[in-house]
Amino acid sequence: MRNLVPVLAVLGAILALWYAAVAPMNIRGALDQAERSGAVVVPEGSAVRARTGTWALVFGNTEHLGLAYALDRPRLPTPGQVAHELWKTTGEMALNGRAMSKRSLLYHGWITLQSTFWGFLLGTTLGILGAVAIVYSRVVDMSLMPWAIISQTIPIVALAPMIIVLSSQMGIEGRGVPKAIISAYLCYFPVLVGMVKGLRSPSASQLDLLQTYSASGAQAFFKLRLPASVPYLFTSLKIGVAAALVGTIVGELPTGAISGLGARILIGDQFGTPLAIWAALVAAAVLAGALVTLLDLAQRVTLRRMGMQG
Amino acid sequence: MKDKGDPVIVAKGLNLTFETGDGPVHALRDVNLTIAKGDFVSFIGPSGCGKTTFLRVAAGLEAPTGGTVTVNGMTPDEARRKRAYGYVFQAAGLYPWRTIAGNVKLPLEIMGYDRAEQDARVKKVLELVDLQGFEKKFPWQLSGGMQQRASIARALAFDAEILLMDEPFGALDEIVRDHLNEQLLALWARTGKTIGFVTHSIPEAVYLSTKIVVMSPRPGRITDVIDSPLPKDRPLDIRDTPDFLAVAHRVREGLRAGHAYD
C-alpha cells in the first residue's frame, strides 16, 4: 500500500498536465465551432484568430473553454474521451458479442498480439542460439557481433517495406510472416546481448572447479552457464517482448496492412479521427504493459523456484 | 593404496613462466618439493610468490613450462581423471540456484554416481563439516563460514585422497577463521587426507600444518621448508606455547629473507 501513493501521485500529475494541455491545444477548433453555431467569440473570424496567440484566445474566451474538452475531432482528446473511445471499441463491443468485429480493437489487438508472439519466439530463439555460438566460438564472436550491432542501427521503418516486398516475392501469402520477421528483427538483439552476458557470468574459479571434476563441455553448459544466465535472460526477454510489439506495429504501419493496431493508427491518421489513433495507442501500451508484467511474473516464479530471490 | 608417509605430490625442477605484455613473469622457478601421504602442507608467502600457482599446477589447472610434477606417480591430468583431489577456492562459489545438498551433489552428478549413492555421500560429508540439517537451505541463507564449509564438503564428496585449498578462509573474519581451522584439523584427523593449503596468515599456517613451505616472489620460489615439531593434537591455545612461537618466528624469518620489503 505504501507504494500506491507515489504511483497514484505520478498518475495524477500526468492526467492533470494532460487535461491542462487540452484547452490551448483545442481552443481554435472550439472557437470555430462556437462561431459557426452563432456564439460570440473574440476575435471574430478564423483567419483573424490564426494570427492571434493561443493564450490570448484561451483567456479571451473562457466561456467557450468547455467546448475544447468536448470536440468530435480534437487535436488533443481528453483522457476521458480516449477512455470512452477505448471502451466503445473493446468492452462495449465485446458485451454486444462483436469482440472480433473489424471495428473492434480487441480484434486488431489480437492480430498484433499473434504477430508479436511469433516474432518474439523467433527473435528469442535466434538471440539465444546466437549467444551460445558467440560464447563458445571466438570466430563467431568476432564475425557475428558487429553485424548484430549494425543491424540495430538501420531504422526499422526503412527496412519493413523491403521485408514485405521480399517475402511476397518469395511467394509468402499474407502479412503474418513478414510482420513476425520485422518483429523478430527488433527483438533478437536484447536477448542476444543479455544471454551473452549471462552465459559469461560464471567466474573463472567456478569454471576451474568444473575442470577439476573433469566435467564435459555439455555439463558445464547445462549445469553452470545456462542456469547462471536465467536472471539475465528474463531481463532481456522483458525488453525483447516490448521491442517485438513495437516491431509488429511498425510492420503494420507503412505496409498497407488493414488489420492490427498499427493499421488502426495509420487509418485513424488518414481519416482524421484522432480518437481512433489515441485509442489504438493506449491499447498498444496496455498490451505491452500486460506482456512485460506477464514475463515479470514468470521471472519471479522461476527465480523463486530456483532458490534465487527474484 | 598408499601408506602413510609415501610421497603423493612430487615436484622436480618445476618452472612456470607466464608471457605477459610486460615481458615474462616467473611464477615458479626451480621448485622441488615432496608432499607425503597424510601431510598437512601450508604454502605461505606474499602475493605473487607462486603458492597458488603451485597448487594449480599440481591440480592440472596450469601447465608447467619446465620440470615435472607427479601426483600419485601420474601426471596431474591423469590424477584428476582418477579423482585424486578435491579443490577448494577462496570464494565458496556455491551455485545460488542449488540447495546446499544440491551443491555438494554437483561433482557426484558430473562423475555419474547413482542417486542413492549421491544421497548417502551428501549426508556423510555434510556431517563431516557439521552442516547436517542445512541440506535444503540455499547458499544465501548461510553465513560466509558455513558456505565455505559447504564448499569443503563438496570437495570431499567424491573421496579424493588429496584436498587442495587455495586461501579457503581468506575472506572470513578471524573468529570464524579460528573456528574453521579447528574444524579443519578435526576433519583432517578423522579422514587422513593429504592437504595442500595456501594462506597469507602465519598463525594459521603454523597452527594447521605438519609442513610449512615458505615462498617468496619475483621469481616465485621456495625459501624454506619447515617440518613442524608440534603434536598432532592441537587445541587452539597451543598458539601460546614456546614451540609454536618458535616455528612462527622461523616462518617470519623465512618470509623476511626472501622479501626485501621494497
Side-chain angles (χ1 to χ4, degrees):
Chain A
M1 283 318 265
R2 246 180 333 130
N3 297 334
L4 210 58
V5 177
V7 169
L8 288 179
V10 170
L11 188 64
I14 291 172
L15 287 179
L17 264 175
W18 188 342
Y19 270 107
V22 167
M25 284 297 285
N26 293 341
I27 187 69
R28 290 172 202 276
L31 293 182
D32 288 348
Q33 194 176 323
E35 194 170 33
R36 273 199 298 276
S37 62
V40 180
V41 299
V42 190
E44 288 180 17
S46 85
V48 183
R49 282 197 298 278
R51 276 171 279 135
T52 315
T54 303
W55 294 112
L57 294 177
V58 170
F59 292 111
N61 298 281
T62 41
E63 71 275 19
H64 296 304
L65 281 187
L67 206 53
Y69 286 83
L71 293 175
D72 279 342
R73 295 186 170 190
R75 273 194 189 169
L76 177 65
T78 65
Q81 284 177 307
V82 173
H84 181 244
E85 172 74 13
L86 196 58
W87 171 248
K88 225 173 66 184
T89 49
T90 55
E92 196 178 296
M93 295 188 87
L95 289 181
N96 294 331
R98 296 172 56 218
M100 285 296 129
S101 142
K102 293 255 188 297
R103 299 190 51 198
S104 156
L105 278 183
L106 291 176
Y107 164 75
H108 293 286
W110 173 239
I111 298 286
T112 300
L113 184 64
Q114 279 176 310
S115 282
T116 304
F117 174 76
W118 289 114
F120 179 61
L121 202 69
L122 182 64
T124 305
T125 311
L126 288 178
I128 291 175
L129 291 180
V132 173
I134 282 173
V135 167
Y136 277 93
S137 160
R138 180 144 177 79
V139 176
V140 177
D141 187 7
M142 309 253 290
S143 54
L144 191 65
M145 206 58 186
W147 287 106
I149 292 165
I150 289 169
S151 77
Q152 299 304 299
T153 64
I154 302 167
I156 190 70
V157 210
L159 214 56
M162 286 199 274
I163 294 174
I164 306 259
V165 168
L166 278 178
S167 64
S168 85
Q169 197 73 34
M170 289 165 68
I172 296 164
E173 297 283 328
R175 302 255 173 238
V177 174
K179 265 161 62 182
I181 292 175
I182 295 164
S183 162
Y185 187 89
L186 280 192
C187 152
Y188 88 94
F189 187 69
V191 176
L192 178 88
V193 173
M195 271 308 271
V196 166
K197 202 165 161 49
L199 290 172
R200 283 187 178 151
S201 66
S203 65
S205 72
Q206 281 182 316
L207 292 165
D208 280 345
L209 183 70
L210 286 179
Q211 207 192 325
T212 68
Y213 304 150
S214 308
S216 68
Q219 285 171 328
F221 181 75
F222 287 108
K223 290 196 186 292
L224 177 59
R225 287 192 191 268
L226 197 61
S229 73
V230 169
Y232 296 84
L233 174 64
F234 272 108
T235 309
S236 305
L237 288 183
K238 282 193 272 186
I239 304 169
V241 79
L245 181 68
V246 170
T248 305
I249 291 175
V250 169
E252 290 164 348
L253 271 177
T255 55
I258 48 164
S259 46
L261 292 176
R264 285 301 287 180
I265 292 171
L266 195 69
I267 290 167
D269 186 47
Q270 287 162 349
F271 287 81
T273 48
L275 279 175
I277 300 179
W278 281 87
L281 277 180
V282 173
V286 169
L287 197 58
L291 290 173
V292 173
T293 307
L294 215 64
L295 279 171
D296 191 60
L297 220 66
Q299 177 179 28
R300 280 165 201 265
V301 171
T302 309
L303 290 190
R304 186 146 302 166
R305 291 194 71 175
M306 284 176 77
M308 299 189 282
Q309 296 194 300
Chain B
M1 190 52 61
K2 286 178 174 293
D3 290 324
K4 195 164 175 57
D6 283 353
V8 175
I9 299 177
V10 180
K12 284 194 186 124
L14 200 61
N15 276 285
L16 179 58
T17 310
F18 293 112
E19 294 300 334
T20 70
D22 297 333
V25 171
H26 298 282
L28 292 173
R29 176 171 291 174
D30 204 25
V31 169
N32 295 290
L33 185 70
T34 300
I35 297 177
K37 181 169 169 54
D39 270 355
F40 195 128
V41 181
S42 282
F43 297 83
I44 188 164
S47 300
C49 71
K51 52 196 192 302
T52 294
T53 308
F54 180 81
L55 224 56
R56 290 176 63 84
V57 170
L61 292 173
E62 216 86 64
T65 45
T68 58
V69 61
T70 58
V71 179
N72 291 335
M74 295 173 281
T75 68
D77 268 335
E78 288 166 349
R80 184 184 67 211
R81 280 192 283 276
K82 292 237 158 85
R83 295 164 201 170
Y85 62 85
Y87 207 106
V88 179
F89 292 88
Q90 176 168 5
L94 302 173
Y95 291 4
W97 56 86
R98 281 175 176 250
T99 60
I100 296 306
N103 269 289
V104 176
K105 255 181 215 167
L106 176 71
L108 304 176
E109 285 172 13
I110 288 172
M111 293 168 182
Y113 287 86
D114 66 49
R115 268 296 157 79
E117 179 74 13
Q118 288 180 17
D119 291 336
R121 281 168 179 263
V122 167
K123 189 168 157 26
K124 194 184 89 184
V125 291
L126 282 181
E127 264 166 35
L128 268 180
V129 298
D130 206 13
L131 276 178
Q132 58 270 54
F134 289 90
E135 288 85 354
K136 294 204 168 76
K137 295 270 189 257
F138 282 99
W140 59 268
Q141 294 171 299
L142 268 61
S143 69
M146 291 164 99
Q147 288 187 22
Q148 197 52 279
R149 266 149 59 196
S151 92
I152 293 171
R154 184 177 57 187
L156 292 170
F158 50 95
D159 272 343
E161 291 287 307
I162 307 167
L163 199 54
L164 299 176
M165 309 178 86
D166 185 3
E167 291 189 54
F169 309 140
L172 304 172
D173 69 61
E174 190 134 0
I175 297 163
V176 175
R177 206 171 168 151
D178 274 355
H179 183 58
L180 288 181
N181 281 340
E182 247 185 318
Q183 283 191 317
L184 183 58
L185 272 187
L187 188 135
W188 174 62
R190 271 180 74 184
T191 58
K193 305 270 181 206
T194 308
I195 298 183
F197 189 94
V198 166
T199 180
H200 269 125
S201 155
I202 295 174
E204 189 172 68
V206 179
Y207 177 65
L208 291 172
S209 320
T210 56
K211 192 196 278 282
I212 301 158
V213 178
V214 184
M215 299 182 77
S216 76
R218 285 182 294 274
R221 63 195 186 280
I222 294 175
T223 50
D224 196 5
V225 177
I226 305 162
D227 286 306
S228 174
L230 299 177
K232 202 171 175 189
D233 189 30
R234 299 175 188 182
L236 270 177
D237 51 22
I238 201 172
R239 295 182 295 185
D240 299 323
T241 62
D243 272 353
F244 186 96
L245 296 174
V247 177
H249 181 74
R250 190 171 154 195
V251 172
R252 196 170 294 115
E253 288 296 306
L255 288 172
R256 196 169 294 159
H259 197 55
Y261 292 104
D262 45 356

